[in-house]
Amino acid sequence: MAKRPAGPTESPVRPTTAAALARRQQQEAAERRAGAAAVVKAYVSLTKPRIVELLLVTTVPVMFLAAKGLPSLWLVLVVLVGGSLAAGAANALNCYIDRDIDQLMNRTKRRPLATHTVSPRSALIFGLTLAAVSTALMATFTNLLATALTAGAIVYYDLVYTLWLKRTTPQNTVWGGACGAAPVLIGWAAVTGGLSWTAWILFAVVFLWQPPHFYALAIKFKADYARAGIPMLPVVRSLRRVGLETVIYSWLTVGASLALWPLGMTPLYGVVAVVTGALLLVEAHRLYGRARREEPLKPMRLFHWSVTYLTLLFAAVAIDVFLQ
């Protein structure tokens, strides 16, 4: 009897060698690791770590100043971890709330919720969990005022700024600055249990610094915000008006930084505040001048220098403590 040929759906069975099987297992393991790494990266991205880093730059020097020296290293660690988790929670919840507009903006369309790497429900649970852990950590190891300020900053950023101010008023950047400056008060309260004029002046520095910093970014991504229907100042007002407000808030920032000098700071702090403040004002006036002449603004020059300004100023606060 003749042997029936194999049908079109049949294929000969090929023996699998031990080496081939090992290679296949290694490939599958690598794919699982890559998948797990991508998920972890997505969750970390939800916390916006670069923003968290900037907040911590202001917190530690303030704790040094509040303690008039080195505070408890354990307390510094608690505030750093608790503050990082709180900021990460606020940012993750911000991503959850803004998932509709993030898909419309080139700057944010690669965020985990916009790309569906993380589900909205998972992002919400993640943000709320971080908020609960950070608040519990601060309540256990610091004091009531520092804990209340931490919880308040999360609520303000997500409910007041993200849900309301950001979508309704061009002054969103100004009033939204309160939560960005809150770490200054949190660090001071964690050390002393209260707040002083010095703490409020440092809060004012960061609060007033944020409009020039974020106006520059909003100019850069003006088309993005317009597409998403967000009334950032560069979207609803002329660039000349934006430049003028940038100059005003830059002068107020430098004024607030100099107001700290008579309150027990050494000439080192004063020199740093004057020099870095002068450079901030130069960049702000340059931007305004270009806007008046209707020239390209180059806003990222101001944006990057504003970050350097704040970092150097608060580094001077920390160093100044040990010179007194």
Side-chain angles (χ1 to χ4, degrees):
M1 180 176 180
K3 186 176 181 180
R4 183 174 62 88
T9 60
E10 297 177 4
S11 60
V13 177
R14 295 189 180 95
T16 302
T17 65
L21 182 59
R23 284 195 298 270
R24 181 177 178 182
Q25 291 174 340
Q26 290 173 355
Q27 182 180 359
E28 291 175 349
E31 290 173 353
R32 286 194 297 270
R33 287 194 298 269
V39 171
V40 171
K41 183 179 179 181
Y43 277 98
V44 171
S45 177
L46 285 175
T47 67
K48 303 179 186 178
R50 294 187 67 180
I51 296 178
V52 173
E53 179 184 347
L54 186 60
L55 297 177
L56 298 181
V57 163
T58 62
T59 305
V60 176
V62 167
M63 294 182 73
F64 283 16
L65 186 59
K68 296 181 172 60
L70 277 175
S72 162
L73 294 180
W74 171 249
L75 181 62
V76 172
L77 179 63
V78 167
V79 173
L80 286 178
V81 174
S84 297
L85 292 175
N91 290 330
L93 294 172
N94 167 269
C95 289
Y96 170 78
I97 295 168
D98 278 351
R99 64 190 185 278
D100 57 335
I101 61 175
D102 279 350
Q103 299 181 66
L104 305 176
M105 299 172 61
N106 291 328
R107 186 172 69 90
T108 58
K109 66 182 181 181
R110 288 180 294 275
R111 287 179 177 172
L113 288 175
T115 58
H116 308 290
T117 307
V118 176
S119 70
R121 182 174 182 273
S122 296
L124 177 61
I125 293 173
F126 178 63
L128 292 175
T129 301
L130 289 183
V133 172
S134 64
T135 304
L137 186 65
M138 296 294 287
T140 303
F141 297 106
T142 62
N143 53 61
L144 181 60
L145 179 58
T147 304
L149 289 169
T150 300
I154 298 172
V155 172
Y156 188 96
Y157 183 69
D158 290 314
L159 299 186
V160 178
Y161 170 71
T162 304
L163 268 178
W164 176 36
L165 295 173
K166 183 176 181 178
R167 297 171 183 245
T168 58
T169 172
Q171 293 301 308
N172 50 22
T173 299
V174 177
W175 297 113
C179 45
V184 170
L185 301 182
I186 294 168
W188 191 280
V191 172
T192 67
L195 297 173
S196 69
W197 279 111
T198 300
W200 284 110
I201 289 174
L202 288 167
F203 172 87
V205 170
V206 183
F207 178 80
L208 295 167
W209 165 87
Q210 288 182 91
H213 176 70
F214 284 108
Y215 283 163
L217 196 65
I219 292 171
K220 171 72 173 178
F221 296 103
K222 175 183 175 181
D224 265 1
Y225 287 114
R227 189 181 305 112
I230 302 300
M232 301 297 284
L233 192 66
V235 174
V236 298
R237 300 288 187 272
S238 69
L239 292 179
R240 183 169 179 169
R241 165 67 179 276
V242 178
L244 177 60
E245 288 204 20
T246 297
V247 167
I248 291 172
Y249 281 108
S250 295
W251 275 100
L252 291 173
T253 300
V254 175
S257 71
L258 293 176
L260 184 64
W261 192 355
L263 299 183
M265 307 300 286
T266 73
L268 170 72
Y269 171 82
V271 169
V272 172
V274 169
V275 173
T276 58
L279 293 172
L280 179 68
L281 292 174
V282 166
E283 287 298 332
H285 278 276
R286 280 178 177 169
L287 186 142
Y288 182 40
R290 293 190 188 101
R292 292 180 63 185
R293 296 188 298 270
E294 298 184 354
E295 297 174 356
L297 298 192
K298 301 179 181 179
M300 297 310 286
R301 285 186 54 164
L302 175 60
F303 176 81
H304 292 304
W305 173 249
S306 66
V307 174
T308 303
Y309 164 80
L310 197 70
T311 302
L312 292 176
L313 185 72
F314 276 83
V317 170
I319 295 170
D320 199 86
V321 170
F322 301 99
L323 300 179
Q324 298 178 19

